[in-house]
Amino acid sequence: MGKGYLRLVAYLLAILLSALLFVGCTSDKKENDSEEQVSSENGNNVEQEQASGDSEKSENSEETVEPGWKKDTSPVTFDWYVHFSWYNYNWGETLISKYVQEKTGVSINFIVPAGNENEKLNTMIASNTLPDFVTLGWWEDGVRKMIDGGLVYSLNELADKYDPYFYEVASPQVLKWYEQDDGKTYGYPNFAVAPEDYDKYEKIPSNQTFVVRKDMYEALGKPDMRTPEGFLAALKAAKEKFPEVNGQPLIPIGLHEFTDTGNYSLESYLANFLAIPREKDGKLYDFREDPEYIRWLKTFRKANEMGLLSPDIFIDKRAQMEEKIAQGRYFAMLYQRTDFVAAQQALYERDPNSIYIAVDGPANSNLDPPKLAGPGISGWTLTMITKNCKHPDRAIRFVSYWLSEEGQRDMYLGRQGETWDIIDGKEQYLPEYAEMARNNREQFDKVVGQDPLWMLGNSLIQMRWAPEPGPAVRQLEEWTYGKAVSYAIYDNLIPPSDSEEGIIASRIADLWGQTLPKLLLAKSDEEFDQIYQDFLKKRAEAGYEKLLAWQMQKLEENKKKLGIK
């Protein structure tokens, strides 16, 4: 996903909601008006009921260990908005969703934007037509807008009123991390990993990899690509030895797509491979100021001068990249490994030696090991329950169920005896499904349906059930073990877009997005230096110091939340 997976920016296109959305979570879409009114009043008056419901709360407190979802498993449907246009999942068509629905009574109608995600969400916010659940990136402006607009419930209040079991399964540290100034928490993330977890688990992976096509790399004698000289020599040798792939020109190096604000591969990915620190002398440190980073950007500029940067990398989007990866047209890539699993599998099925493998990539002058981004406490997405939900009691109970170990098992493995069982003393997929998960992930997701149900996933719990990675992707994941670090304290450093600091941050991000391609296309290092100095000047004029001061204050708050001095 990919936070990781993920530089925190928002930039997408627009669509009106119109009649697609039905307000409220309902067990029967044909409920009469009086039933809807009673249900709606019940949901929207949680705060008033809580203030006057001490006796009920006292009664609930005796049931803190009992999962609340078991009290009512009658049919109920939640409309659930997922803030990603690429998401595609039909609840009720997979073995896992059928089992969960039968067990809990919950059915989900996933709603996905057809065009620009941000405009669709803003339309729903402005018209107060948000569905029952909303899942979006934790960094999105929509999170703040919904909280400030009073459009979402605090999970604390719902849990206190309807399901104290929530506190048994939610991480106190995660709740504290997402706590707002009013002391309440309004959303819960998926795949959140606290900094302390890195000391407890040995196999926490990173998505950030430098990969090469195995057969080509070996044919070139496995060149050392950690230095600028070795990197350029390897790209040049690959282009000379393998000028074409199935009649198409070889692309020596592949990168994430260029956007209005830059390129992941040449920003956080490259900085982490170079082990550039995030702080220096007690202040936040911008990797773009680091000599090692500039050295490597100039290396990429030199690569372009040598004809080693294909024009395709400046214009291709993810869909075009996946197609070219499946064709094996890249020699090397600084790329997120989970973004090309299907393409990697296609290569493996044609020729196991043509797959991509992770190797040591760009490094700093000391050849220090990379410090790649692992999962953070912010997770990837944030899920919120809106005040349009007519059954907030069932909603918070379903959240608690999903967060529990039982729910994680159900959402990951499915029904015991159908998709999994205890084999050799371990809870794991039945052999036919384990093999499908390893070798045909697309079919596995279509039949079993585990991977798309990530909204409240917990990777630390799920790793105990994960099948061994298939031969096509195993090496990519295992290479990252021991190289992942937590950058959790540097999350939440993007100011609200409509604040003064947010406007500054947006201007600087756009400025960098315009500058980065120019740096790579510069005809000389001298021209590179002029472009770079111009960027620094304009960044300062845009108010960089004011933004930095805001970020430093936010960083101190982050450290306090995590107990880091």
Side-chain angles (χ1 to χ4, degrees):
M1 41 109 319
K3 150 118 62 135
Y5 18 254
L6 296 169
R7 230 187 117 211
L8 313 177
V9 287
Y11 32 96
L12 309 153
L13 188 125
I15 187 170
L16 281 176
L17 177 62
S18 69
L20 276 177
L21 298 178
F22 294 87
V23 176
C25 49
T26 173
S27 59
D28 184 350
K29 293 295 183 183
K30 296 180 181 180
E31 287 177 327
N32 61 44
D33 292 340
S34 62
E35 289 175 28
E36 290 183 353
Q37 182 177 0
V38 170
S39 183
S40 179
E41 289 174 354
N42 177 57
N44 289 324
N45 288 327
V46 171
E47 296 174 16
Q48 294 93 319
E49 290 179 6
Q50 184 185 6
S52 61
D54 292 340
S55 60
E56 292 182 34
K57 184 174 179 181
S58 176
E59 181 180 338
N60 280 339
S61 66
E62 299 175 3
E63 304 171 359
T64 53
V65 182
E66 179 66 20
W69 67 268
K70 294 183 178 181
K71 296 179 181 179
D72 185 355
T73 58
S74 61
V76 64
T77 297
F78 293 127
D79 287 339
W80 196 311
Y81 173 76
V82 180
H83 193 60
F84 301 100
S85 59
W86 49 259
Y87 186 76
N88 181 25
Y89 186 79
N90 294 318
W91 182 271
E93 296 182 3
T94 64
L95 294 175
I96 286 179
S97 63
K98 289 176 182 177
Y99 170 55
V100 171
Q101 182 171 334
E102 177 186 321
K103 181 174 183 176
T104 66
V106 172
S107 175
I108 298 175
N109 173 37
F110 284 117
I111 300 167
V112 180
N116 182 286
E117 291 94 333
N118 286 333
E119 291 202 15
K120 175 152 190 174
L121 181 60
N122 287 337
T123 298
M124 291 189 290
I125 291 173
S127 59
N128 193 20
T129 54
L130 291 166
D132 312 309
F133 282 89
V134 173
T135 293
L136 71 170
W138 60 260
W139 60 90
E140 303 276 2
D141 274 348
V143 172
R144 181 182 59 84
K145 290 178 181 178
M146 287 186 285
I147 294 174
D148 291 350
L151 301 178
V152 291
Y153 285 117
S154 80
L155 300 181
N156 319 73
E157 291 172 322
L158 291 181
D160 291 344
K161 178 63 182 175
Y162 297 120
D163 190 25
Y165 181 66
F166 173 79
Y167 296 114
E168 300 289 330
V169 296
S171 164
Q173 195 168 31
V174 169
L175 291 177
K176 182 66 177 177
W177 177 254
Y178 276 105
E179 184 179 276
Q180 302 298 305
D181 292 339
D182 60 5
K184 301 172 184 177
T185 301
Y186 292 85
Y188 203 90
N190 62 352
F191 308 135
V193 179
E196 60 189 29
D197 291 324
Y198 281 76
D199 297 326
K200 301 176 184 176
Y201 299 90
E202 296 180 357
K203 296 183 178 181
I204 294 180
S206 172
N207 268 334
Q208 299 179 337
T209 50
F210 177 73
V211 303
V212 291
R213 188 167 146 167
K214 183 175 183 292
D215 51 359
M216 295 181 181
Y217 183 68
E218 292 175 348
L220 295 176
K222 299 182 179 180
D224 186 345
M225 301 180 70
R226 294 177 297 170
T227 66
E229 298 77 18
F231 180 82
L232 292 172
L235 296 187
K236 182 173 182 292
K239 184 176 181 180
E240 292 174 349
K241 191 174 183 66
F242 308 100
E244 291 188 344
V245 178
N246 297 324
Q248 298 282 352
L250 176 80
I251 302 174
I253 180 70
L255 307 168
H256 278 273
E257 67 180 80
F258 281 82
T259 71
D260 291 340
T261 57
N263 186 301
Y264 294 156
S265 297
L266 296 176
E267 293 161 358
S268 60
Y269 279 48
L270 181 57
N272 292 341
F273 266 89
L274 302 180
I276 296 175
R278 301 291 182 93
E279 290 181 68
K280 225 174 191 182
D281 301 324
K283 290 184 64 176
L284 279 168
Y285 183 58
D286 188 344
F287 62 83
R288 289 172 292 197
E289 299 177 15
D290 192 90
E292 297 284 356
Y293 179 73
I294 298 301
R295 174 173 172 252
W296 270 95
L297 270 195
K298 287 185 174 180
T299 300
F300 279 91
R301 187 213 67 78
K302 185 66 176 178
N304 183 65
E305 182 182 301
M306 296 169 64
L308 301 174
L309 292 190
S310 168
D312 291 6
I313 70 172
F314 293 98
I315 57 176
D316 280 351
K317 301 301 181 184
R318 177 171 170 174
Q320 288 76 41
M321 291 197 63
E322 287 183 354
E323 181 180 354
K324 290 172 180 175
I325 294 172
Q327 296 168 349
R329 288 186 59 192
Y330 298 99
F331 165 61
M333 294 186 290
L334 190 55
Y335 205 68
Q336 179 165 271
R337 61 181 176 82
T338 54
D339 274 9
F340 64 98
V341 172
Q344 177 86 330
Q345 186 66 41
L347 287 172
Y348 182 83
E349 291 172 359
R350 286 202 305 270
D351 179 4
N353 286 319
S354 70
I355 63 172
Y356 289 93
I357 59 173
V359 298
D360 292 334
N364 60 35
S365 299
N366 295 326
L367 300 182
D368 293 324
K371 293 183 177 180
L372 308 178
I377 195 169
S378 293
W380 171 33
T381 62
L382 199 67
T383 291
M384 313 174 86
I385 301 172
T386 81
K387 290 188 176 178
N388 287 334
C389 182
K390 290 193 288 293
H391 294 284
D393 53 344
R394 296 292 297 278
I396 188 65
R397 290 168 183 169
F398 187 67
V399 168
S400 299
Y401 159 74
W402 197 334
L403 292 180
S404 71
E405 183 170 326
E406 179 181 6
Q408 294 292 318
R409 182 189 293 108
D410 292 347
M411 291 287 192
Y412 195 91
L413 292 176
R415 188 197 309 265
Q416 185 174 7
E418 180 179 47
T419 51
W420 72 278
D421 216 326
I422 299 176
I423 304 173
D424 298 328
K426 179 184 177 183
E427 298 173 335
Q428 55 184 298
Y429 290 117
L430 296 175
E432 60 265 36
Y433 292 115
E435 181 180 358
M436 190 187 298
R438 283 193 299 268
N439 301 319
N440 193 340
R441 191 73 200 193
E442 185 176 354
Q443 180 69 7
F444 178 79
D445 289 336
K446 183 177 180 180
V447 174
V448 179
Q450 172 264 318
D451 192 56
L453 294 173
W454 39 254
M455 294 76 184
L456 292 168
N458 184 322
S459 54
L460 297 179
I461 293 178
Q462 293 177 358
M463 69 169 58
R464 73 185 71 166
W465 305 307
E468 287 295 318
V473 298
R474 179 182 300 118
Q475 189 270 347
L476 295 176
E477 177 178 323
E478 292 179 347
W479 182 86
T480 69
Y481 293 161
K483 299 180 178 71
V485 300
S486 174
Y487 291 112
I489 60 173
Y490 304 107
D491 287 346
N492 296 334
L493 297 186
I494 304 298
S497 61
D498 56 358
S499 66
E500 183 179 358
E501 293 82 5
I503 293 171
I504 293 171
S506 178
R507 287 174 180 166
I508 292 175
D510 290 342
L511 175 62
W512 177 248
Q514 298 163 13
T515 301
L516 181 58
K518 294 179 182 178
L519 292 171
L520 302 184
L521 297 172
K523 300 190 184 310
S524 65
D525 282 351
E526 291 73 21
E527 183 180 343
F528 179 105
D529 290 337
Q530 290 176 359
I531 295 170
Y532 178 71
Q533 291 301 321
D534 186 53
F535 163 75
L536 293 181
K537 179 182 178 182
K538 290 181 178 178
R539 185 182 71 168
E541 293 171 349
Y544 176 64
E545 287 301 321
K546 187 174 185 65
L547 171 63
L548 186 60
W550 184 94
Q551 292 176 322
M552 282 298 302
Q553 181 179 348
K554 193 69 176 177
L555 176 61
E556 292 306 312
E557 294 175 9
N558 288 351
K559 290 181 177 180
K560 185 176 181 180
K561 284 183 177 181
L562 294 176
I564 297 174
K565 296 182 179 180

